[in-house]
Amino acid sequence: MYFFSKMQGLFNIFPYLCHMKQKIVFLVITMICLTSLPVKADASSEMTVLQVEMLRLISTPDRETFMKVTEQLKAKCQKYGDERLFYIAWGNQSTYEATHQNYQKADEIVNEINDYAEAQNSFWGHYIALHTKAVNNLQKQDYEAADMGFRKAVDFRHKYFPDESAGDDLQELMKIANHRKDQKAGLKYARQILAEPNVAPIHKGRALFRLSQFAFNKNDKRLYDSIYNELMLLKKSDGISTIEPVVEVNYNIINGNYQEALRLCKDLSPDKQAERMAVIYHRMGNDNKAYEYMAKFKRINDSIVLVSHGNVVASCFVQMNNERMKLEQKLLEDESAKWKDLFLYTLIGAIVIILALVIWQHRQRIKRLEKENLRLDKARKKAEEAFDMKNEFINHITNELREPLNPIEGFSDILGTKEYELQPEEREQLSNMIKDSSKTITKLIDEMAELSLYESKKSLPFNYTLSPTHLCRHMVDSMRPKCKQGVRMYFESELPDDYVIPTNAEALQTLLRHLIENAIQYTDKGVITIACTEYEDNVRISVTDTGKGIPLERYGHIFETFREMGENQKLQGLGLSICKAIINLLGGKIWLDVKYVEGSRFIFELPNKQEKP
């Protein structure tokens, strides 16, 4: 009983598994645990050990060990007469192959199970073959075949095992219907689960959960309350955590207990928590909070999977070049052999000279080939790094663009929907939110263009002679109005106004602008100070703020693109990456002063090469 109670507890995390394959594997594992009954006490211990090992290996790439364990388990089942566990272990072998996308082998195993069950006249074996084949089709994302397979499995189990529940298969049919957004079919299967004989509490709970979602979406308080009461009775009678945390949250939402609903949201997964809190705040009339959590929900759920074959192509290219070099080397060796044969018929002196010349040429070419191999190997590694960096950059850019795009799309739909009667101030508020998101997108695109511009250049012309003091004072005067209320901005300089340096004025102004903007963004109160001084042979400019500061563990990554700056805080934009690209072109250096702990202090130095007018 302890073992079964543990498996029931594990099954309660089933809704939080994100991928369809994980759900399928977990379903098969749970079915094994709930249907396996050892015949003898000693056999139970032996087979339990093998089952645990099988469950541990089923999601690993160690195919050889997994197959060895399942074969041992099958042999034990045959020895002790456990027909059901025998076929389930065999079916798991097929599921393992399908999980690792070896679909042909998975289908072969299913056929073997079916043929063996027919020879043994085993109805349970036939059922496992039907169920496993449907599971494999689901893994292939062939939903039509999977739907038909599970329906056949339901009919077969009803016919040959009328006193047993077909909840396993019906639950899969319910999930397929939900995946297709076929609400009618999903509700039908949920009700069919509830009508099954001897239905397992976990299946009954999942069906009631599905019906509760329908009732909540329809805002049918009476229906939802009745389903909730059934779930509470089920939980009390069976002593298991049948009720999903979101059911409690929805119950309080639909009954208007918003504060209690907010308190219970802490028990939800991050995506469900953000979604429910957006609904709660919307019903409470707090659209700002609703927008915040809706954007968070979109950010968690929306993802773009980039599949790039670039690394594979690069590897193939290098391999082809290596093969070509081997062929060239073989041709050279053949050429040398021909020369040797020819030299045998010439004078000894001529033979020695010609052989020496050929050997020398041969060695020189081998050296060139070795150098070419080394160059290509370096190019391959560089290409692989470039592909990885490109994919990471595209991922981050996509997420950054999608975050403001989602509210634009959502609030635009609300503004254009006649069903919503918006007050003028609400309409203005949504319009302002859309404008803010549009400005965020525009700023990101502008920074991407700047970063691309400076990273594409190998050097910058030093086409202007300017005073660092004049430039910094001008930037402070122009940026001071952008500071948040209560924040003061100062400029300090130890350099005279006539102290000038040759540089690229546009690039230096862009670098300083991004550093000041960064300080403004993260400083809510206190002081921002820009200072100029001369240090050794360099002009040193610092931007100091009393803002939030940067965690110690992030110091080494602040100039990298889109690095996290804290638990929930993220470095918005590409400003510091642009600064790093510019300072490299100007021949200077930039760093974060780690000794300053009152906020953040960025310092950069430029060669002075000073000129006095």
Side-chain angles (χ1 to χ4, degrees):
M1 291 302 296
Y2 174 79
F3 177 74
F4 285 107
S5 66
K6 285 296 183 183
M7 292 313 300
Q8 288 172 334
L10 285 174
F11 201 89
N12 288 326
I13 69 171
F14 183 81
Y16 301 105
L17 295 174
C18 299
H19 302 292
M20 182 65 75
K21 289 183 179 180
Q22 289 176 304
K23 293 181 179 179
I24 296 167
V25 171
F26 199 83
L27 175 65
V28 174
I29 293 170
T30 306
M31 185 180 68
I32 292 171
C33 297
L34 297 178
T35 57
S36 299
L37 294 174
V39 179
K40 300 179 182 179
D42 55 346
S44 173
S45 177
E46 293 175 3
M47 289 191 290
T48 298
V49 171
L50 290 172
Q51 285 182 70
V52 171
E53 188 67 2
M54 178 176 64
L55 301 185
R56 185 184 68 83
L57 294 167
I58 195 168
S59 60
T60 69
D62 191 354
R63 180 183 182 277
E64 181 178 353
T65 306
F66 174 80
M67 291 300 174
K68 179 180 178 181
V69 169
T70 50
E71 287 297 330
Q72 290 176 351
L73 181 56
K74 286 167 61 180
K76 291 288 183 182
C77 291
Q78 285 185 313
K79 178 179 179 181
Y80 297 110
D82 194 335
E83 178 194 25
R84 293 201 168 196
L85 184 55
F86 169 81
Y87 281 107
I88 290 171
W90 200 351
N92 262 1
Q93 291 182 341
S94 177
T95 302
Y96 181 93
E97 299 290 357
T99 301
H100 292 80
Q101 300 183 352
N102 193 354
Y103 300 120
Q104 183 177 354
K105 183 62 177 177
D107 290 338
E108 290 175 2
I109 295 174
V110 169
N111 292 333
E112 292 173 5
I113 295 172
N114 194 64
D115 292 341
Y116 185 85
E118 185 174 356
Q120 299 295 319
N121 196 26
S122 171
F123 293 128
W124 181 255
H126 281 298
Y127 166 74
I128 289 297
L130 285 171
H131 179 85
T132 304
K133 188 169 185 178
V135 169
N136 293 347
N137 285 325
L138 195 57
Q139 299 221 49
K140 297 175 189 175
Q141 297 184 353
D142 187 352
Y143 297 109
E144 291 292 335
D147 183 271
M148 183 180 298
F150 284 120
R151 283 191 278 112
K152 286 181 179 180
V154 169
D155 293 338
F156 189 93
R157 196 156 185 174
H158 283 166
K159 180 177 180 180
Y160 293 102
F161 305 97
D163 297 328
E164 296 182 8
S165 168
D168 292 330
D169 303 291
L170 287 170
Q171 185 167 276
E172 291 302 309
L173 287 169
M174 184 174 67
K175 287 188 292 182
I176 292 172
N178 293 333
H179 176 80
R180 293 172 167 175
K181 302 187 184 304
D182 188 348
Q183 187 182 74
K184 183 177 179 181
L187 293 174
K188 181 189 77 173
Y189 290 127
R191 294 187 179 102
Q192 194 172 343
I193 289 173
L194 296 177
E196 282 291 289
N198 300 316
V199 62
I202 190 64
H203 294 152
K204 185 176 181 180
R206 294 304 300 155
L208 288 171
F209 172 70
R210 180 56 55 199
L211 293 174
S212 74
Q213 287 183 312
F214 168 76
F216 182 84
N217 292 335
K218 298 290 286 186
N219 201 28
D220 190 338
K221 180 180 179 301
R222 184 183 60 81
L223 177 59
Y224 191 93
D225 287 348
S226 66
I227 295 171
Y228 177 82
N229 291 333
E230 280 194 63
L231 282 168
M232 290 296 291
L233 290 173
L234 183 64
K235 178 179 181 180
K236 183 177 180 181
S237 62
D238 293 278
I240 59 174
S241 300
T242 307
I243 296 183
E244 298 288 344
V246 73
V247 173
E248 296 278 5
V249 175
N250 288 344
Y251 174 79
N252 283 281
I253 293 175
I254 206 167
N255 284 280
N257 303 324
Y258 299 127
Q259 294 303 323
E260 179 64 11
L262 286 172
R263 187 186 69 80
L264 292 173
C265 278
K266 69 179 187 302
D267 298 324
L268 302 180
S269 59
D271 57 334
K272 282 192 172 68
Q273 184 182 83
E275 180 189 23
R276 294 296 88 189
M277 292 183 77
V279 172
I280 295 169
Y281 280 115
H282 177 69
R283 293 200 178 199
M284 294 173 66
N286 190 341
D287 286 334
N288 285 334
K289 279 287 187 179
Y291 161 77
E292 177 185 340
Y293 283 103
M294 183 177 70
K296 184 177 181 181
F297 171 72
K298 289 284 187 182
R299 185 169 63 251
I300 293 173
N301 283 273
D302 291 350
S303 61
I304 296 178
V305 179
L306 300 176
V307 180
S308 173
H309 296 287
N311 291 343
V312 177
V313 173
S315 298
C316 292
F317 178 78
V318 173
Q319 183 177 355
M320 291 171 62
N321 275 278
N322 289 337
E323 291 295 328
R324 175 180 58 81
M325 292 174 202
K326 291 178 182 178
L327 290 174
E328 288 181 352
Q329 185 172 346
K330 185 177 183 300
L331 289 174
L332 288 174
E333 293 172 353
D334 292 341
E335 183 181 354
S336 298
K338 290 179 182 179
W339 276 105
K340 291 178 182 179
D341 292 338
L342 178 63
F343 292 159
L344 289 175
Y345 303 97
T346 61
L347 296 173
I348 297 176
I351 293 173
V352 172
I353 295 174
I354 293 173
L355 283 174
L357 179 61
V358 171
I359 292 172
W360 178 81
Q361 289 178 341
H362 178 65
R363 288 181 176 176
Q364 289 298 110
R365 186 164 296 183
I366 288 176
K367 289 181 180 179
R368 288 197 299 271
L369 290 175
E370 290 175 347
K371 291 181 180 179
E372 181 69 9
N373 270 333
L374 182 61
R375 186 185 68 81
L376 287 172
D377 186 65
K378 291 180 179 179
R380 175 183 63 80
K381 293 179 179 178
K382 187 176 181 180
E384 290 176 350
E385 292 175 359
F387 277 120
D388 291 340
M389 291 176 64
K390 178 203 70 174
N391 290 339
E392 182 180 0
F393 183 79
I394 291 175
N395 257 324
H396 289 310
I397 287 296
T398 300
N399 290 333
E400 288 295 319
L401 288 174
R402 182 168 291 274
E403 183 173 345
L405 280 174
N406 285 330
I408 290 176
E409 180 181 355
F411 289 131
S412 297
D413 289 343
I414 294 175
L415 289 172
T417 301
K418 296 181 179 179
E419 297 177 1
Y420 294 95
E421 293 294 337
L422 297 176
Q423 299 299 321
E425 58 272 14
E426 292 177 330
R427 187 175 296 275
E428 182 180 359
Q429 184 180 15
L430 293 181
S431 299
N432 290 335
M433 290 179 179
I434 293 174
K435 290 177 182 178
D436 291 341
S437 296
S438 299
K439 290 178 182 178
T440 300
I441 295 174
T442 302
K443 181 176 181 294
L444 181 59
I445 293 174
D446 290 343
E447 290 181 347
M448 287 170 58
E450 280 188 346
L451 181 62
S452 176
L453 171 67
Y454 289 113
E455 285 191 340
S456 65
K457 294 181 179 294
K458 294 182 179 179
S459 62
L460 287 174
F462 283 29
N463 54 2
Y464 197 78
T465 301
L466 58 79
S467 166
T469 301
H470 284 167
L471 175 62
C472 291
R473 185 180 294 116
H474 168 72
M475 292 299 296
V476 168
D477 291 340
S478 61
M479 300 290 285
R480 185 179 285 117
K482 297 182 180 181
C483 292
K484 299 174 184 176
Q485 187 174 2
V487 177
R488 294 165 295 166
M489 182 180 291
Y490 295 108
F491 169 63
E492 301 173 351
S493 177
E494 297 179 2
L495 302 178
D497 288 348
D498 61 351
Y499 185 101
V500 296
I501 59 172
T503 187
N504 186 290
E506 181 181 357
L508 182 56
Q509 184 172 342
T510 300
L511 186 156
L512 192 57
R513 172 172 57 83
H514 280 295
L515 288 179
I516 297 175
E517 285 179 346
N518 187 70
I520 292 173
Q521 180 179 356
Y522 294 106
T523 303
D524 296 327
K525 60 181 180 179
V527 179
I528 299 174
T529 304
I530 292 82
C532 292
T533 185
E534 185 176 21
Y535 183 78
E536 296 181 351
D537 294 330
N538 299 301
V539 173
R540 175 176 289 184
I541 299 176
S542 65
V543 178
T544 306
D545 62 64
T546 58
K548 300 176 181 178
I550 298 172
L552 179 63
E553 64 272 13
R554 301 298 179 189
Y555 281 2
H557 306 293
I558 56 172
F559 294 105
E560 298 178 14
T561 306
F562 293 104
R563 284 285 181 174
E564 293 180 358
M565 298 293 288
E567 182 177 358
N568 296 312
Q569 186 181 351
K570 192 175 181 185
L571 177 60
Q572 298 294 327
L574 305 166
L576 293 180
S577 299
I578 295 171
C579 293
K580 183 67 174 179
I582 291 175
I583 202 69
N584 289 338
L585 293 172
L586 295 178
K589 59 182 180 179
I590 187 170
W591 69 93
L592 173 69
D593 185 358
V594 297
K595 296 180 179 179
Y596 179 72
V597 295
E598 300 299 324
S600 299
R601 175 180 289 154
F602 288 93
I603 305 172
F604 67 90
E605 290 182 351
L606 295 171
N608 59 15
K609 300 179 182 177
Q610 79 174 52
E611 297 180 3
K612 297 287 183 68

